[in-house]
Amino acid sequence: MESSIVMTGLSNVFTLYNIAAILGGTLLGLFVGAMPGLSATMALALLLPLTFSMDTGTGLSMLASLYVGASYGGSIAAILLRTPGTPSAAATVLDGFPMSQQGQAGKALGISLFASFIGGLISGVALLLAAPLLGSLVVQFGPIELFAIAVLGITIIGSLAQGSVINGLFSGVVGLLVSTVGMDLTTGTPRMTFDNINLFSGISFTVALIGLFSIPQALALVENSNAPAKVASRITDRLIPRLSELKTLMPNMLRSSGIGIIVGLIPGTGGDTASWFAYNEAKRFAKDKSGFGKGDPAGVAAPEAANNAVVGGALIPTIALGIPGSSATAILLGALMVQGILPGPNLLTDYGDVTYTLIWAVIFANVGLLLVGLMFTKASVAVTRIPDGFIACAIIALCIIGAYAINNSLFEVGLMLGFGLFGYWLAKAGVSPAPMVIGLILGPVMENSFHQSMLIGNDDYRIFLSSPIAVVLLCIAVFSVLQATPVFRWLIEACRRRTQLA
Amino acid sequence: MKINKKLTTAVLAAATALSLSLNAQAEYVAGEDVTVLQGFKPGGGSDVLAQLVQPYVSKQLGVNFVNEYIPGATGAIAWTRLAKQSKKDGSVVSITNTPMLMTNYIMNEAITYNIKELTPIANVVTDPGIAVVAKDSPYDSIEDLLAAAKEKPGRITVGNSGMGGDDFFTTLLIEKATGLSFKKVPFQGDGPSATAAMGNKIDVSFNNVGTVYSQVQSGNLKALAVFSENRVDSLPDVPTLKEKGVDVVAGSSRGYSAPAGIPDEARDQLIAAFEALKNDQAFLEDAKKRALNIDIVTGDAYGEMFESMEKEFQGIWQEVSAKQQ
């Protein structure tokens, strides 16, 4: 049965529509990634409502390929403009930009493209192999275990916040609070709905997402539209790298892909962490470190292989447990929810065909990326010249259309704009909206499974200790909270001192 | 020969249907386009019904059906729109799910429509309720389960598809009929409730035949009893609750309703079009392929179904909320 779902997923991807969706998605991702200031997350949030009218497979293929395309597209601006198109391409700037100054822009882009392709492909295959292993555990996951998963997911909030933990916790708590709007699933009592029937089923998390991620970015673009534009370097040499060059870079790319997958697996860490990690490791393993920072191809290959490998890695916990590993995977999870699929361990059993369609789409999106990248990388340079004001207007228009399309409701357009303004304020205050999204997703899961567990366990809290899986997950959660506190650092210090004394 | 016979019956049925419906080919009084308000997302159970029914009914009436999806508040947003803000000329109808149609406003004062503001047209499908347990569950029959509930009052955990859904109220009905009490655990839909039963996280899941049929067939779940009037064709070995002396018939049904006060002519035409489905072989075949249990009840009879359900659920809900206070 297992293999038949895998094949159904494969055949779902292999239709003319879906292949077109994959190529279109990668191309769009390439352009969005190339534009400095636009992130893959924002593009995904905007495209999400447009996929509602599509077939499930087509919609998911398009979103997955957009994600993959944007992961590579970020390197174009990094190499040519010295501005990373996406945060995860920041490490690529170090060696990519010097290469383009030396007239090797084409070579740098070519290496970036091939590294992205290899990283993405390996992680896609890893996803395909790992998913069924985790999927076989599904029946083991009842309310008690789900509660433990949700608690673990919530503890990620602290690490998702870049910079201040307090800001991250604030954003996460707001998300949890907003998730309580709507009918209580255990008692049926409407909460915080102000007798407004539009709020009875809660605040759609896609509405919040579009507002939080897209509107602030559009407003920021408008603010900076008077800044002098940077001029992109020209591509003068050939794009396709020599086989011998690829051969020497291969161990580096494989190592970086591995790093990308593992970093992706850890919820709360994403492409930016992985690319710096891979860059540092590439430097450490290199025999001749002198070229790094001055245009060493290895310094381009490592971060690019890693940030594309994150895609597959981050999807493993998303698919197997329903915990999104990053804000981008949170949106992919949202895409599944829109199709009536609840996040959770049964993604692989009850909705196996859809889930495997997503997995295959990730793999084929990387193949599509190679084709699209070879053909359109040169054209994408033009995208960086579009005035920011135009892009901002287009984004806001798409936000409004998108928010309306979710439930055909004008009320939700207003709600989206409200979240947009709140998100703008968050951005000004230096608070990341990502923890809020995690809170919105996991809040109902945690609350529900808590109520169910208490019903099943006759109001005895010890029920949570009755399941080995739940105990392990809760211990990890405790550890993840402790390691962020001074107590932990103090403990390590104490241990170190003792070993030094001994 | 057999095919021929089928064909003739089909032609005959179609002919009678046509003559019954007072020249069905004639134009529908409310115009060419009929809007169907759907209270749930595209691709859900309501949409499945719409995709099945509408091609046939549109041929009968000579109209185009335009689906409008207004999900939210378990259908209440769409039904409020139907009852309060839609044209009362027969050009707007909605897919009405029972018992949600009534339990929505019985349980929440903020939901203001009620069945008196609707014109019931026809029920089309009914998915009977069913009790399922894990394959390695200690309960092998419904008697085992009821005996266990008697021994441990309020300790047997029963999964349902959510507060206010059909399975939740079915549990209340069974409690009332047997005098037993269960611990009701709500899930977000029939699927998660069935999965929890499969993993022995709950003692039993009250579910719907359509949802769990394949899992029962493959042996992952044991079916203890169905909550229908008679045994279900697809599960002939599973007894009904009635056979076991528990007088409860329950399930989840979907049909079509219009706002109250539509012209009689429009109402008659709509009802006739749904009546004709009863004998439409192509339609019945199509329904079978989608594993839908056809249960066509039209006009006043559908209205009576609404009223008896409203009365039943109102009574139970009052008892429950009185107990809570």
Side-chain angles (χ1 to χ4, degrees):
Chain A
M1 201 187 95
E2 197 67 57
S3 66
S4 78
I5 311 177
V6 178
M7 295 326 282
T8 315
L10 182 59
S11 61
N12 279 352
V13 173
F14 258 121
T15 63
L16 198 61
Y17 266 131
N18 292 355
I19 292 173
I22 287 179
L23 292 177
T26 9
L27 187 60
L28 203 61
L30 191 71
F31 286 160
V32 170
M35 271 187 256
L38 302 191
S39 67
T41 311
M42 192 214 74
L44 282 171
L46 278 184
L47 188 66
L48 178 57
L50 301 182
T51 62
F52 293 169
S53 56
M54 296 179 191
D55 181 60
T56 315
T58 315
L60 284 176
S61 303
M62 190 148 182
L63 289 170
S65 50
L66 179 77
Y67 186 12
V68 169
S71 296
Y72 160 68
S75 74
I76 298 175
I79 291 169
L80 300 179
L81 279 176
R82 206 183 179 181
T83 312
T86 52
S88 58
T92 314
V93 174
L94 294 185
D95 284 278
F97 186 67
M99 278 182 85
S100 76
Q101 281 189 314
Q102 293 154 20
Q104 290 183 313
K107 188 180 168 189
L109 287 168
I111 287 171
S112 161
L113 180 60
F114 275 89
S116 298
F117 166 68
I118 288 169
L121 198 65
I122 292 176
S123 81
V125 173
L127 174 64
L128 188 68
L129 297 178
L133 295 178
L134 294 157
S136 60
L137 293 170
V138 169
V139 192
Q140 306 293 321
F141 282 85
I144 300 161
E145 292 80 7
L146 273 181
F147 174 75
I149 288 182
V151 170
L152 178 59
I154 300 273
T155 60
I156 295 162
I157 286 176
S159 58
L160 253 188
Q162 282 132 6
S164 160
V165 176
I166 301 285
N167 282 351
L169 290 177
F170 168 73
S171 168
V173 167
V174 172
L176 284 175
L177 201 63
V178 171
S179 81
T180 61
V181 173
M183 261 188 268
D184 182 321
L185 288 153
T186 321
T187 62
T189 317
R191 297 177 302 190
M192 299 206 268
T193 58
F194 310 103
D195 277 354
N196 186 333
I197 195 167
N198 290 303
L199 287 172
F200 273 29
S201 38
I203 288 175
S204 158
F205 114 85
T206 11
V207 171
L209 205 74
I210 295 173
L212 286 173
F213 281 96
S214 306
I215 298 281
Q217 229 156 3
L219 293 177
L221 283 177
V222 174
E223 280 178 356
N224 301 330
S225 59
N226 287 329
K230 281 189 180 177
V231 183
S233 318
R234 297 175 70 92
I235 304 174
T236 48
D237 58 335
R238 51 184 247 135
L239 202 57
I240 303 172
R242 282 194 195 83
L243 205 63
S244 59
E245 286 169 344
L246 283 180
K247 224 180 216 168
T248 42
L249 288 173
M250 197 46 93
N252 176 359
M253 287 192 228
L254 292 179
R255 179 179 57 240
S256 306
S257 305
I259 292 173
I261 295 170
I262 291 167
V263 171
L265 261 176
I266 305 165
T269 51
D272 39 353
T273 321
S275 56
W276 284 113
F277 191 0
Y279 184 85
N280 289 338
E281 289 305 300
K283 200 170 169 181
R284 202 150 65 106
F285 274 85
K287 288 192 193 90
D288 177 18
K289 297 176 179 57
S290 62
F292 277 89
K294 293 178 198 137
D296 191 323
V300 175
E304 284 306 310
N307 68 29
N308 269 51
V310 163
V311 176
L315 276 170
I316 294 176
T318 311
I319 287 175
L321 302 175
I323 299 184
S326 62
S327 32
T329 46
I331 295 170
L332 287 177
L333 200 61
L336 291 168
M337 284 163 85
V338 164
Q339 304 288 347
I341 297 169
L342 287 170
N346 56 351
L347 272 182
L348 274 166
T349 46
D350 295 7
Y351 310 108
D353 50 340
V354 176
T355 310
Y356 276 104
T357 305
L358 176 61
I359 295 177
W360 281 111
V362 170
I363 293 177
F364 283 101
N366 282 292
V367 180
L369 172 67
L370 194 61
L371 296 175
V372 169
L374 285 175
M375 288 191 284
F376 290 99
T377 297
K378 283 189 177 168
S380 69
V381 180
V383 176
T384 59
R385 300 199 194 105
I386 302 174
D388 287 350
F390 290 161
I391 299 171
C393 290
I395 291 174
I396 292 179
L398 281 172
C399 286
I400 292 173
I401 298 170
Y404 181 75
I406 295 170
N407 286 335
N408 291 336
S409 146
L410 265 180
F411 177 82
E412 306 212 318
V413 174
L415 209 56
M416 181 279 293
L417 290 172
F419 274 103
L421 289 179
F422 184 66
Y424 181 66
W425 177 75
L426 285 183
K428 288 283 160 194
V431 179
S432 158
M436 187 164 161
V437 172
I438 302 286
L440 260 172
I441 295 177
L442 292 178
V445 177
M446 183 161 77
E447 195 193 350
N448 248 337
S449 53
F450 177 75
H451 275 303
Q452 288 165 345
S453 306
M454 290 324 274
L455 283 168
I456 291 171
N458 283 310
D459 294 331
D460 187 343
Y461 288 102
R462 277 173 298 177
I463 183 86
F464 295 112
L465 303 178
S466 69
S467 152
I469 299 177
V471 171
V472 171
L473 290 170
L474 288 172
C475 285
I476 300 174
V478 170
F479 182 75
S480 114
V481 170
L482 280 183
Q483 59 93 19
T485 58
V487 181
F488 193 75
R489 245 169 283 145
W490 179 78
L491 270 176
I492 288 183
E493 276 301 306
C495 287
R496 202 173 289 160
R497 234 174 288 143
R498 194 171 301 166
T499 44
Q500 271 168 6
L501 282 177
Chain B
M1 271 309 279
K2 211 174 177 189
I3 297 167
N4 244 339
K5 205 173 164 190
K6 253 189 191 165
L7 202 70
T8 23
T9 41
V11 169
L12 269 176
T16 42
L18 280 178
S19 56
L20 266 177
S21 62
L22 315 161
N23 61 13
Q25 290 301 333
E27 266 179 33
Y28 177 56
V29 287
E32 282 181 10
D33 291 316
V34 175
T35 305
V36 181
L37 303 178
Q38 294 204 21
F40 300 87
K41 289 195 182 283
S46 295
D47 207 22
V48 169
L49 178 71
Q51 307 301 345
L52 169 72
V53 166
Q54 279 154 301
Y56 293 93
V57 179
S58 93
K59 247 184 272 164
Q60 285 278 331
L61 288 172
V63 296
N64 296 316
F65 282 106
V66 183
N67 289 311
E68 196 178 320
Y69 303 93
I70 321 168
T74 47
I77 295 181
W79 295 326
T80 310
R81 171 100 62 97
L82 178 76
K84 315 254 183 207
Q85 296 164 323
S86 295
K87 275 194 210 159
K88 298 181 192 321
D89 59 358
S91 64
V92 185
V93 298
S94 177
I95 296 183
T96 37
N97 307 39
T98 49
M100 265 91 105
L101 182 67
M102 301 89 187
T103 55
N104 265 344
Y105 62 84
I106 291 175
M107 291 169 47
N108 276 312
E109 281 171 16
I111 296 173
T112 50
Y113 73 86
N114 65 56
I115 52 167
K116 288 189 191 63
E117 294 169 273
L118 303 178
T119 303
I121 303 296
N123 186 52
V124 183
V125 297
T126 296
D127 196 355
I130 187 170
V132 288
V133 296
K135 60 181 171 194
D136 49 353
S137 159
Y139 312 114
D140 287 316
S141 66
I142 193 77
E143 286 97 337
D144 288 351
L145 184 78
L146 296 178
K150 200 165 192 175
E151 209 175 293
K152 294 185 282 182
R155 298 290 292 268
I156 298 296
T157 48
V158 181
N160 60 57
S161 61
M163 188 71 188
D166 60 321
D167 307 314
F168 172 79
F169 275 92
T170 305
T171 319
L172 293 176
L173 289 174
I174 293 177
E175 284 183 333
K176 201 177 168 194
T178 57
L180 299 168
S181 74
F182 296 100
K183 182 149 271 178
K184 295 169 280 293
V185 186
F187 288 85
Q188 280 172 294
D190 283 319
S193 165
T195 310
M198 225 183 289
N200 262 321
K201 306 290 171 188
I202 46 177
D203 292 316
V204 56
S205 165
F206 285 0
N207 220 293
N208 292 93
V209 173
T211 316
V212 296
Y213 177 72
S214 62
Q215 296 290 358
V216 172
Q217 283 299 341
S218 62
N220 290 328
L221 287 169
K222 271 192 295 197
L224 300 185
V226 287
F227 312 152
S228 51
E229 196 73 44
N230 301 302
R231 288 195 181 195
V232 180
D233 291 340
S234 50
L235 299 167
D237 301 329
V238 182
T240 64
L241 274 184
K242 271 193 148 176
E243 282 173 44
K244 301 292 176 182
V246 180
D247 191 13
V248 171
V249 173
S252 144
S253 301
R254 294 191 185 95
Y256 283 78
S257 300
I262 66 165
D264 285 345
E265 209 183 344
R267 175 177 180 264
D268 293 344
Q269 278 184 320
L270 284 170
I271 290 175
F274 281 97
E275 271 297 323
L277 289 181
K278 278 187 186 170
N279 300 313
D280 190 331
Q281 288 305 323
F283 166 76
L284 296 175
E285 280 293 311
D286 214 359
K288 203 169 185 182
K289 252 183 256 161
R290 299 178 199 217
L292 290 173
N293 183 34
I294 295 299
D295 175 27
I296 296 177
V297 181
T298 57
D300 291 339
Y302 190 33
E304 278 160 31
M305 190 171 147
F306 277 5
E307 273 163 38
S308 71
M309 277 190 191
E310 187 190 45
K311 216 174 129 193
E312 194 173 22
F313 294 133
Q314 225 150 23
I316 298 181
W317 187 245
Q318 262 162 15
E319 280 174 39
V320 170
S321 28
K323 244 183 251 169
Q324 276 170 355
Q325 278 157 14

